[in-house]
Amino acid sequence: MPVSRGKLAERLPVNARAVARLARPSASALVRKLPFPLAPASVPVGIEPPRRESKVGANYDTEWARSYPARAARVLLVEGVVRPAMEALARPQVRGVDRLSSLEGPVVFAANHHSHVDTPLLLSVIPEPWRHHLFIGAAADYFFGNRVTSALSALVIGAIPIERTKVSRTSAQQAAELINHGWSMLIFPEGGRSPDGWGQPFRGGAAYLSLRCEVPVVPVHVEGTGRILRKGSSIPRPSPTTVTFGWPLRPDEEEDSRAFATRIERTVAELADEATTDWWQARRRAHAGATPSLQGPGVGAWRRAWALGERGPKQRRRPAWPDLG
């Protein structure tokens, strides 16, 4: 037969305060009866507590940016702000649009990358029906670093976060789903802006998405944006630009993403040669396998800068000594 707390207290050699404490329910018993926890569960010593998943960076959800209100706002921004600004700042000369006349459905636009001006410039010159049904693969660590820049990137340029330091299955899956739903993509296969005016090796993102989604890649060469706003500069300077669209490319039957990415880079280099010389000379050099590389000569920094010539960013001239004579 169980003994009650009162009788147990009478048998124990304790004072009145101890008896009162024994008679009322304990705090742990009250906590167990609550329908919600008062504090998060503790983690045993030696075990790393689980980290909360970040809501920015590569994990930022951009689905809201493709809703009808967001798309309508983006059309107004592109047509009312971006295009007039680019006309005044970049004065773009657009070539090769006729090469896209027979193209239908979603595509992947793959362009070289020299400046932050590249994105708004291409947003303003990519022809319909792709211009307003387009999303951009943007660096997650730069454009999606916090909630403010993430929201602006998703709304204004229709960007989705792409991790450039590693291959992310989440980013690739999101891009593939959008392409399969009829959206076209603008991507910069170099992964970042040119540090010195010359190009960088193309990565396989555009080629992989083309293979996976069975859509063509449109190579694009952008010339002149490095003179407007080069990497490390904060003040744009007006300068003419040229945007050249190439013939759509599709992977061959036995071509993997790495080989296809190399062919995309070679085609963009041919477009660069065409933009700086003329179509006939560029075709002759391409046929002979003598197209200049986007990455420039493998020499010292000063010779690379000298080899850029007029294509390179214009440096400030030092003020001349005053003529005192």
Side-chain angles (χ1 to χ4, degrees), residues 15-207:
N15 54 29
R17 183 179 299 176
V19 172
R21 189 166 54 248
L22 183 63
R24 64 175 180 262
S26 63
S28 59
L30 289 175
V31 170
R32 284 196 295 270
K33 294 180 181 180
L34 292 176
F36 55 88
L38 291 178
S42 60
V43 178
V45 178
I47 298 179
E48 185 178 357
R51 296 181 179 178
R52 292 184 178 181
E53 186 174 334
S54 175
K55 298 298 183 181
V56 296
N59 298 320
Y60 186 78
D61 185 9
T62 61
E63 183 63 28
W64 63 271
R66 282 170 291 281
S67 64
Y68 181 81
R71 291 172 60 185
R74 188 155 54 250
V75 170
L76 293 176
L77 287 170
V78 171
E79 299 297 332
V81 179
V82 175
R83 292 193 70 186
M86 289 298 102
E87 288 290 339
L89 187 65
R91 305 191 298 276
Q93 180 182 5
V94 184
R95 303 175 179 176
V97 176
D98 56 309
R99 296 166 178 168
L100 312 180
S101 58
S102 61
L103 195 59
E104 295 181 356
V107 300
V108 176
F109 293 94
N112 61 311
H113 198 18
H114 288 283
S115 168
H116 279 322
V117 180
D118 295 338
T119 298
L121 178 62
L122 288 172
L123 277 177
S124 65
V125 301
I126 287 177
E128 291 287 7
W130 302 284
R131 181 188 303 158
H132 298 305
H133 209 67
L134 183 76
F135 70 95
I136 298 174
D141 58 331
Y142 191 94
F143 290 92
F144 293 88
N146 57 62
R147 292 186 178 275
V148 175
T149 59
S150 299
L152 289 175
S153 300
L155 175 63
V156 179
I157 63 176
I160 67 169
I162 300 291
E163 292 192 75
R164 52 184 173 179
T165 57
K166 63 180 180 179
V167 178
S168 173
R169 182 176 299 179
T170 303
S171 300
Q173 181 67 26
Q174 184 180 9
E177 289 178 355
L178 289 174
I179 293 173
N180 290 333
H181 282 85
W183 288 79
S184 294
M185 182 180 189
L186 170 61
I187 188 172
F188 300 103
E190 294 175 66
R193 292 167 293 161
S194 168
D196 61 356
W198 289 103
Q200 302 174 89
F202 276 29
R203 303 180 184 181

